[in-house]
């Protein structure tokens, strides 16, 4: 457990010393979201209709931007070797890295999303649902993304390949996440979607670190 | 029991599987051609014209078996992946990578024929029907697998990484299918669903089953043929390859 | 005791080495030698359990490493080619994180003392980015001072060190050996250490059957 905390702490420290990387992803999120009204027009009924999808797709892309770096630096400087030799199971350490990734790449999106949602004329209630859906959904993105990042470690053209591998797997999270907000807008109640999102998260927490670890061991050989 | 196990593992070695695949694939290829001919004959000349959909419906004799096959092949790939990870056999990775292009081909065929069917039926080349959408995502999964395995130079590493992709994918396929279905019912855009196909005449069913069988035989034949090529490529330095009669020329 | 029989390693299509036997008992050291590309690093990685051997068996205290992996890793310290130093962390943070990951967290005092002993006094809080190559190696080597591991596997530990640092590292290694530790390392230079030592020469690699990078 100590090693787990040490990894989380270290990755947060590293992110704190390289703030620009965190902010780049955030600004990317903001810009992508702001582009849609410019492309579609400022009519508020339309904007409200597309808001859940736009915000979720943008969050998904922004979360993916930073995946490349999840393991690459550790692989290059030998830290990954040390992690795999640790008496603490590698899967636990990988979970630590995923947690740190979510805290630096996912959580800021959750916090920023309601502000951007205002641009789309969403009601406070829907903004709340949007936040909860992102709160449940972005960890899934980090978890599934970790598998892709581990698989493409040190592979030619890894960045594009990563999106090719990961984006199809993001679809359920996108559907339930955006669906929750839409259901709320339609006055249907978002409970069903949110619980399914929670189920995805539980499944991800259970399986993803294990799969990412297997992929990392392959990359280390 | 143990006798059988030993037999199985004997063929897990590329050296003994290569000649076996060599003798088997022409048989499967032959069966595939015969079944395909019979199936197409039934679907074009024997099966009655559908009173609702006219002649256009006949594309389902290709479309439905192709969709079945694309899904089934992904499961088979995942099966080989699991075998490869558990027993660390070289052949399983080769089988997976031999199957992937065929699976992607069937997924593509299913999408293509689905579009062709959709135009006369629904008046649009593409509708966001749950099955079509899932098939599209399945196609993406195949492409991801092929892209990853071909981007890794070391074949052993490529096999193992591919195995993880296949297993992660196969866990996700039902989730994706379910979520897309959920999404589809929520949006009710495409209210025409392929599930609501009118009850089928027995001849139609036969045509479809025979075509499915033909696709099976084709897949087996082409996978065996491709795995032979992969074995030769990977084992080109092994002595048994040098001693093959086809290498003596 | 670490013992290996008939180890072999493949790189791509060619066999780097085969039939490597070795045995290291408490208080003994083993220097792995060989030309560039002979597979020194590969051998160390196989011994550390980072990469699988193409053939052969590795035993720790008489049992196959595959069976006692956790116990083996708890008693092993491996320093690879890449020193596992984060440029953005200070020397102290690097050392503390590395120790925590290795399962032996260090309090700040102990870590500071180790860094001072290895010759980084006054640089404990500088980010590793501003340290020289040799100083970065020292940060990595500071882990040796705090290590309780029985077996040290070090890949080129003397690289980038000045004369004083080499002498200091030798004395650290001597201490380790005199406490009954085991040591396997690679180096191009002749090293004189206390205790019984042996050297293992990895043969010139067979001519590749195909040009590989």
């Amino acid at each position: 457990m100590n090693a787990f905390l040490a990894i989380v702490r270290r990755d947060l420290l590293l992110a704190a010393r390289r703030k620009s990387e965190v902010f780049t992803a955030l600004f990317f999120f903001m810009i992508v979201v702001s582009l849609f009204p410019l492309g579609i027009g400022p009519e508020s009924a339309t904007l409200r209709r597309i808001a859940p999808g736009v915000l979720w797709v943008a969050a998904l892309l922004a979360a993916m931007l930073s995946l490349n770096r999840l393991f690459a630096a550790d692989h290059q400087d030998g830290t990954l070797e040390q992690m795999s030799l640790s008496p603490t199971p590698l899967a636990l350490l990988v979970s630590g890295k995923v947690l740190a990734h979510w805290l630096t790449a996912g959580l800021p999106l959750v916090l920023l999303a309601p502000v951007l949602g205002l641009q789309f004329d969403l009601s406070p209630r829907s903004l709340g649902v949007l936040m909860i859906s992102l709160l449940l959904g972005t960890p899934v993105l980090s978890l599934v993304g970790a598998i892709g990042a581990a698989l493409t470690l040190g592979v030619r053209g890894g960045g594009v390949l990563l999106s090719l591998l990961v984006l199809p797997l993001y679809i359920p999270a996108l559907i339930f996440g955006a669906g929750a907000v839409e259901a709320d807008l339609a006055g249907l109640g978002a409970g069903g979607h949110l619980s399914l999102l929670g189920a995805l998260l539980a499944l991800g927490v259970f399986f993803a670190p294990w799969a990412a670890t297997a992929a990392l061991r392959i990359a280390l050989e | 029991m143990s006798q059988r196990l030993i037999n199985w593992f004997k063929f897990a070695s590329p050296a003994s599987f290569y000649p076996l695949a060599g003798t088997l694939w022409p048989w499967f290829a032959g069966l595939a051609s015969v079944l395909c001919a019979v199936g197409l004959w039934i679907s074009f000349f024997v099966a009655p014209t559908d009173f609702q959909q006219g002649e256009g419906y006949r594309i389902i004799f290709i479309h439905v078996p192709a969709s079945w096959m694309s899904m089934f092949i992904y499961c088979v790939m995942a099966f080989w992946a699991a075998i490869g990870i558990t027993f660390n056999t070289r052949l399983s990775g080769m089988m997976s990578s031999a199957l992937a292009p065929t699976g992607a081909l069937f997924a593509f065929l299913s999408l293509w024929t689905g579009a062709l069917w959709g135009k006369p039926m629904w008046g649009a080349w593409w509708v966001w029907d749950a099955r079509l959408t899932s098939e599209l995502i399945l196609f993406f999964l195949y492409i991801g697998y092929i892209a990853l395995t071909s981007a890794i130079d070391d074949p052993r590493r490529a096999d193992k990484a591919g195995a993880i992709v296949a297993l992660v994918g196969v866990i996700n396929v039902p989730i994706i299918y379910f979520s897309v279905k959920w999404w589809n019912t929520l949006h009710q855009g495409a209210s025409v669903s392929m599930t609501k196909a009118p009850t089928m005449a027995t001849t139609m069913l036969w045509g479809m089953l025979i075509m499915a069988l033909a696709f099976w035989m084709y897949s087996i034949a082409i996978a065996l043929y491709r795995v032979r090529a992969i074995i030769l490529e990977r084992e080109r330095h092994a002595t048994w390859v040098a001693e093959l009669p086809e290498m003596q020329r | 005791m670490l013992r290996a029989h008939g180890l072999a390693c493949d790189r791509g299509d060619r066999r780097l080495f085969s039939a490597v036997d070795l045995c290291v008992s408490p208080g003994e050291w083993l220097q792995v030698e060989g030309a560039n590309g002979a597979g020194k690093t590969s051998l160390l990685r196989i011994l550390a359990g980072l990469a699988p051997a193409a053939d052969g068996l590795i035993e720790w205290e008489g049992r196959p490493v595959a069976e006692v992996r956790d116990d083996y890793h708890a008693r092993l310290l491996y320093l690879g080619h890449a020193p596992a130093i984060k440029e953005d962390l200070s020397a102290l943070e690097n050392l503390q994180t590395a120790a925590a990951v290795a399962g032996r967290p260090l309090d700040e005092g102990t870590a500071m003392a180790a860094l001072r002993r290895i010759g980084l006094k006054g640089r404990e809080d500088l980010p590793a980015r501003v340290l020289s190559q040799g100083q970065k190696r020292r940060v990595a080597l500071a882990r040796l001072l705090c290590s309780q591991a029985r077996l040290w596997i070090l890949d080129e530990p003397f690289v980038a060190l000045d004369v004083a640092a080499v002498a200091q590292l030798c004395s650290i290694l001597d201490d380790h050996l005199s406490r009954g530790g085991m040591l396997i390392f690679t180096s191009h230079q002749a090293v004189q250490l206390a205790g019984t030592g042996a050297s293992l020469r990895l043969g010139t690699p067979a001519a590749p059957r195909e040009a590989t990078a």
Side-chain angles (χ1 to χ4, degrees):
Chain A
M1 209 57 206
N2 256 320
F4 172 83
L5 291 177
I7 291 284
V8 177
R9 211 181 86 85
R10 186 204 65 186
D11 277 14
L12 290 180
L13 255 178
L14 285 172
R17 300 210 174 139
R18 281 281 159 94
K19 290 188 202 67
S20 63
E21 289 177 359
V22 176
F23 282 105
T24 315
L26 265 185
F27 283 119
F28 175 83
F29 180 50
M30 277 171 69
I31 291 174
V32 170
V33 168
S34 313
L35 281 180
F36 279 87
L38 296 176
I40 291 169
E43 208 231 322
S44 63
T46 320
L47 287 184
R48 222 174 304 140
R49 254 191 60 71
I50 61 163
V54 167
L55 283 159
W56 253 92
V57 170
L60 198 138
L61 295 176
M64 214 185 55
L65 268 190
S66 47
L67 278 180
N68 262 329
R69 293 190 308 272
L70 186 53
F71 298 115
D74 284 350
H75 183 49
Q76 224 161 32
D77 66 19
T79 311
L80 210 52
E81 287 181 346
Q82 296 298 337
M83 282 166 60
S84 84
L85 292 177
S86 164
T88 315
L90 184 55
L92 191 60
L93 300 181
V94 168
S95 315
K97 284 199 67 75
V98 174
L99 176 62
H101 176 264
W102 178 71
L103 287 172
T104 56
L107 191 60
L109 299 179
V110 178
L111 299 175
L112 190 63
V115 182
L116 297 178
L118 286 176
Q119 288 187 324
F120 288 77
D121 196 30
L122 288 181
S123 69
R125 224 184 96 84
S126 303
L127 289 178
V129 174
L130 175 69
M131 264 185 100
I132 298 174
S133 76
L134 282 170
L135 199 61
L136 287 168
T138 41
V140 178
L141 305 184
S142 292
L143 284 162
V144 173
I147 305 176
L151 280 169
T152 52
L153 202 54
V155 171
R156 271 178 285 127
V160 186
L161 200 53
L162 176 61
S163 33
L164 204 59
L165 285 177
V166 158
L167 284 179
L169 302 179
Y170 277 178
I171 289 171
L174 170 69
I175 287 177
F176 295 134
V181 188
E182 268 170 46
D184 181 71
L185 282 172
L188 291 171
H193 287 85
L194 291 178
S195 20
L196 283 168
L197 213 50
L200 279 186
L201 177 58
L203 207 66
V205 169
F206 189 73
F207 277 113
W210 180 82
T213 304
L216 284 179
R217 290 212 188 276
I218 295 168
L220 275 175
E221 273 175 16
Chain B
M1 182 65 199
S2 67
Q3 187 73 42
R4 276 184 65 162
L5 271 179
I6 290 163
N7 268 335
W8 280 111
F9 276 102
K10 176 171 172 276
F11 287 113
S13 113
S16 46
F17 190 74
Y18 179 82
L20 178 73
T23 35
L24 285 181
W25 82 262
W27 290 96
F28 284 106
L31 270 174
S33 336
V34 173
L35 285 168
C36 195
V38 175
L40 285 178
W41 178 67
I42 292 180
S43 48
F44 277 112
F45 301 110
V46 180
T49 309
D50 190 89
F51 76 100
Q52 271 182 327
Q53 310 184 41
E55 301 292 344
Y57 89 94
R58 289 184 197 274
I59 203 152
I60 63 164
F61 291 112
I62 304 286
H63 174 77
V64 175
S67 316
W68 285 346
M69 216 51 221
S70 64
M71 284 177 243
F72 182 70
I73 287 179
Y74 202 88
C75 296
V76 177
M77 270 170 60
F79 165 78
W80 284 116
I83 297 275
I85 285 181
T86 342
F87 297 107
N88 202 17
T89 44
R90 275 177 302 166
L91 191 62
S92 358
M94 300 185 191
M95 281 307 278
S96 289
S97 39
L99 281 165
T102 312
L105 172 78
F106 279 123
F108 183 73
L109 201 63
S110 149
L111 289 172
W112 187 270
T113 51
L116 286 182
W117 190 23
K119 185 63 184 164
M121 294 306 125
W122 305 320
W125 293 109
W126 182 264
V127 289
W128 289 95
D129 169 78
R131 292 188 179 199
L132 268 181
T133 314
S134 310
E135 190 70 41
L136 182 68
I137 298 168
L138 183 67
F139 181 63
F140 291 153
L141 290 179
Y142 273 118
I143 297 298
Y145 175 92
I146 295 171
L148 179 71
T149 47
S150 52
I152 302 176
D153 292 323
D154 176 20
R156 292 287 283 159
R157 196 190 149 188
D159 281 351
K160 288 181 187 170
I164 292 178
V165 172
L167 285 176
V168 170
V170 92
I171 293 172
N172 266 279
V173 163
I175 301 177
I176 291 173
Y177 179 69
F178 172 67
S179 62
V180 168
K181 213 171 160 178
W182 173 289
W183 164 82
N184 191 242
T185 47
L186 187 81
H187 289 261
Q188 285 168 2
S191 52
V192 188
S193 164
M194 295 200 193
T195 20
K196 280 200 286 181
T199 40
M200 251 182 285
T202 335
T203 37
M204 291 188 196
L205 196 65
W206 272 108
M208 216 134 82
L209 284 178
I210 289 175
M211 282 311 288
L213 214 56
F215 283 180
W216 266 64
M217 295 302 133
Y218 165 78
S219 306
I220 296 173
I222 201 77
L224 288 177
Y225 190 78
R226 206 176 279 129
V227 88
R228 268 166 65 90
I230 294 173
I231 290 175
L232 278 191
E233 193 188 343
R234 298 224 188 143
E235 308 263 308
R236 59 189 180 277
H237 299 303
T239 37
W240 72 266
V241 171
E243 285 159 7
L244 286 174
E246 53 262 50
M247 290 292 159
Q248 304 300 326
R249 272 174 267 153
Chain C
M1 186 168 75
L2 183 78
R3 188 194 283 277
H5 318 270
L7 288 185
C9 171
D10 289 337
R11 166 87 42 82
D13 276 336
R14 72 201 169 100
R15 183 144 283 204
L16 276 181
F17 53 77
S18 55
V20 168
D21 299 312
L22 58 88
C23 174
V24 183
S25 305
E28 284 183 6
W29 53 273
L30 177 74
Q31 178 175 9
V32 180
E33 292 172 289
N36 289 336
K40 299 186 293 293
T41 297
S42 301
L43 177 62
L44 293 200
R45 283 174 54 87
I46 288 172
L47 288 176
L50 282 167
D55 201 4
L57 181 71
I58 307 167
E59 285 176 346
W60 172 249
E61 312 291 13
R63 304 189 57 195
V65 161
E67 285 174 20
V68 291
R69 201 178 187 87
D70 288 345
D71 180 50
Y72 177 59
H73 281 165
R75 293 169 193 288
L76 165 75
L77 189 151
Y78 168 83
L79 284 187
H81 238 12
I85 300 293
K86 291 281 172 204
E87 302 270 312
D88 285 327
L89 295 186
S90 71
L92 180 67
E93 288 160 345
N94 265 308
L95 179 58
Q96 282 190 304
T97 314
V101 168
R104 282 181 204 287
L106 292 177
D107 62 82
E108 197 171 320
T110 325
M112 288 290 251
L115 288 170
R116 279 191 201 121
R117 259 190 72 194
I118 204 88
L120 290 168
K121 188 169 167 31
R123 296 188 173 77
E124 301 93 337
D125 287 320
L126 289 181
R129 196 174 343 113
V130 303
L131 298 180
S132 73
Q133 278 305 317
Q135 286 171 326
K136 276 183 216 164
R137 292 297 305 192
R138 288 184 198 212
V139 177
L141 292 173
R143 284 188 54 201
L144 298 178
L145 287 172
C146 319
S147 167
Q148 311 275 312
R150 296 279 314 283
L151 171 65
W152 290 359
I153 297 183
L154 311 178
D155 197 357
E156 299 288 354
F158 295 102
V159 155
L161 295 183
D162 58 23
V163 181
V166 168
Q168 195 186 8
L169 176 56
C170 282
S171 84
I172 295 172
L173 297 180
D174 283 344
D175 281 351
H176 173 64
L177 292 168
S178 66
R179 286 195 309 263
M182 291 165 257
L183 169 66
I184 300 173
F185 68 102
T186 59
S187 179
H188 287 295
Q189 57 208 90
V191 184
Q192 210 41 60
L193 293 172
T196 351
S199 88
L200 172 75
R201 189 152 189 92
L202 292 178
T204 37
R209 278 174 288 194
E210 179 186 55
T212 39

PDB file of all heavy atoms in Angstrom, chain C residues 13 37 91 128 139 186 194:
ATOM      1  N   ASP C  13      15.887 -13.000 -34.508  1.00  0.00           N
ATOM      2  CA  ASP C  13      16.109 -14.302 -35.129  1.00  0.00           C
ATOM      3  C   ASP C  13      17.362 -15.002 -34.645  1.00  0.00           C
ATOM      4  O   ASP C  13      17.598 -16.156 -34.962  1.00  0.00           O
ATOM      5  CB  ASP C  13      16.213 -14.125 -36.654  1.00  0.00           C
ATOM      6  CG  ASP C  13      14.840 -14.089 -37.272  1.00  0.00           C
ATOM      7  OD1 ASP C  13      13.920 -14.628 -36.648  1.00  0.00           O
ATOM      8  OD2 ASP C  13      14.701 -13.524 -38.367  1.00  0.00           O
ATOM      9  N   GLY C  37      26.920  -6.111 -27.425  1.00  0.00           N
ATOM     10  CA  GLY C  37      25.999  -6.975 -28.159  1.00  0.00           C
ATOM     11  C   GLY C  37      26.122  -8.441 -27.808  1.00  0.00           C
ATOM     12  O   GLY C  37      25.490  -9.283 -28.431  1.00  0.00           O
ATOM     13  N   ALA C  91      16.694  15.005  -5.961  1.00  0.00           N
ATOM     14  CA  ALA C  91      17.441  13.796  -5.636  1.00  0.00           C
ATOM     15  C   ALA C  91      16.779  13.071  -4.472  1.00  0.00           C
ATOM     16  O   ALA C  91      16.613  11.840  -4.487  1.00  0.00           O
ATOM     17  CB  ALA C  91      18.882  14.164  -5.293  1.00  0.00           C
ATOM     18  N   ALA C 128      16.611  16.684 -10.488  1.00  0.00           N
ATOM     19  CA  ALA C 128      17.631  15.858 -11.137  1.00  0.00           C
ATOM     20  C   ALA C 128      18.026  16.423 -12.504  1.00  0.00           C
ATOM     21  O   ALA C 128      19.101  16.136 -13.009  1.00  0.00           O
ATOM     22  CB  ALA C 128      17.126  14.435 -11.294  1.00  0.00           C
ATOM     23  N   VAL C 139      22.695   9.387  -7.568  1.00  0.00           N
ATOM     24  CA  VAL C 139      21.373   9.325  -6.938  1.00  0.00           C
ATOM     25  C   VAL C 139      20.861   7.889  -6.985  1.00  0.00           C
ATOM     26  O   VAL C 139      20.340   7.357  -6.000  1.00  0.00           O
ATOM     27  CB  VAL C 139      20.374  10.255  -7.660  1.00  0.00           C
ATOM     28  CG1 VAL C 139      18.997  10.135  -7.040  1.00  0.00           C
ATOM     29  CG2 VAL C 139      20.851  11.687  -7.606  1.00  0.00           C
ATOM     30  N   THR C 186      27.904  -5.960 -14.481  1.00  0.00           N
ATOM     31  CA  THR C 186      28.643  -5.919 -15.737  1.00  0.00           C
ATOM     32  C   THR C 186      29.556  -4.712 -15.693  1.00  0.00           C
ATOM     33  O   THR C 186      29.227  -3.701 -15.081  1.00  0.00           O
ATOM     34  CB  THR C 186      27.709  -5.732 -16.948  1.00  0.00           C
ATOM     35  OG1 THR C 186      26.995  -4.511 -16.777  1.00  0.00           O
ATOM     36  CG2 THR C 186      26.722  -6.859 -17.072  1.00  0.00           C
ATOM     37  N   ALA C 194      36.449  -7.238  -2.691  1.00  0.00           N
ATOM     38  CA  ALA C 194      36.747  -8.196  -1.637  1.00  0.00           C
ATOM     39  C   ALA C 194      35.987  -9.494  -1.894  1.00  0.00           C
ATOM     40  O   ALA C 194      35.086  -9.543  -2.720  1.00  0.00           O
ATOM     41  CB  ALA C 194      36.349  -7.610  -0.281  1.00  0.00           C
TER      42      ALA C 194
END
